[in-house]
Amino acid sequence: MCTQPKVTRRAALAGVAGLAATAMAAEPAAARGGRGIRDLTYPLSERFPAFSPGEEAVRRTVTTVEDDGYYMQEWRIIEHIGTHVDAPAHFTAGGRTATELRPDELILPAVVVDIARRAAHDPDTEVTVDDLREFERRHGRIPDGAAVLMYSGWGSRIGDANAYRGTDPAGTLHFPGFGTDACEWLLRRRRIRGLGVDTLSIDPGISATFDTHLALTGADRYGLENLAGLDRLPRTGATIFVGLIPYEEGSGGQARVLATW
C-alpha cells in the first residue's frame, strides 16, 4: 500500500537543522590545515530552497519494510534542485548534456575564492577580476583546468528559503555570484573547467540575463550550484569529484560532490 509520509512540525524543524548541520560539519584534518576529505553536498529534501517557489522536490513512500518487505521512495524533482551540475546544454543550444561530460572532466583541481566578508554587507556582490588577481597574489596561479569555487557564506541561510533566495518585496532575488568579466577572464587566461558557488546560481541573483551562464556553457564548461562547506576547504590544493547523475539528455542533474586534499 502506497502511503504519503506524515511530516510533523518537529520533524520539519529537525530536517532544516540537519541541512545546516551538514553544511557546518567539518573533519578535524580540515581545521588543522592538513590532509582531509569533505562532502560538499547538501542532503536533498522537500524543504531545500528552489530557485523559484514551486520547484521544490516532492517525495512519497512507495513501499515499507512492514507492509512490503522492503523500503522505497518515489521522488519528483527537476534537474536543478539541491547540489547539482549545470551542463553546457542548460543554456547553450546544442551543448553537451549530462551523459556527455567525460569522467576526466568530473575529477579536477579546485580553488576557493572567499568573498564572504563583502557578501555579508552586499548580497548583490560578484566575484570580480580584481578578486581573482588578489587571490593569485596570495595563493599562486589558478591551475589550468580547475574548478573555481566561490565561498560567500550563503550556506548560513539554507534553513530559510526566502533568506537563501534573498527575495525582496518586489520578488527580485539577491545573492552573490560570478561576474561575467571574471568568468571570461578565467576561461581565457586559466582555461578553467568549471565554476562553483554556495548559492542558487553562478550568476548573482539580480541577473535577469544570466550572462555568466551563457559565457560558461557557451565555452563548453559546466557549473556547480548549492555547494556546502566551502569554508572548510583549503584555498588551493584540493581535488573535487563530481558524482553527476547521468540523466539521459540531461541539462544537468544532482551530484554528490566530494573534495580531498
Side-chain angles (χ1 to χ4, degrees), residues 202-215:
I202 59 172
D203 277 282
I206 59 171
S207 174
T209 54
F210 301 102
D211 292 335
T212 299
H213 273 91
L214 292 170

Side-chain angles (χ1 to χ4, degrees), residues 1-2 6-7 9 17 44 61-62 78 100 112 138 151 158 176 179 192 195-196 249:
M1 177 179 179
C2 298
K6 295 180 179 179
V7 181
R9 183 174 184 273
L44 183 59
T61 300
V62 176
I78 62 171
E100 295 174 308
V112 180
R138 297 183 62 184
Y151 170 64
I158 196 69
I192 60 164
L195 297 177
E249 299 298 324

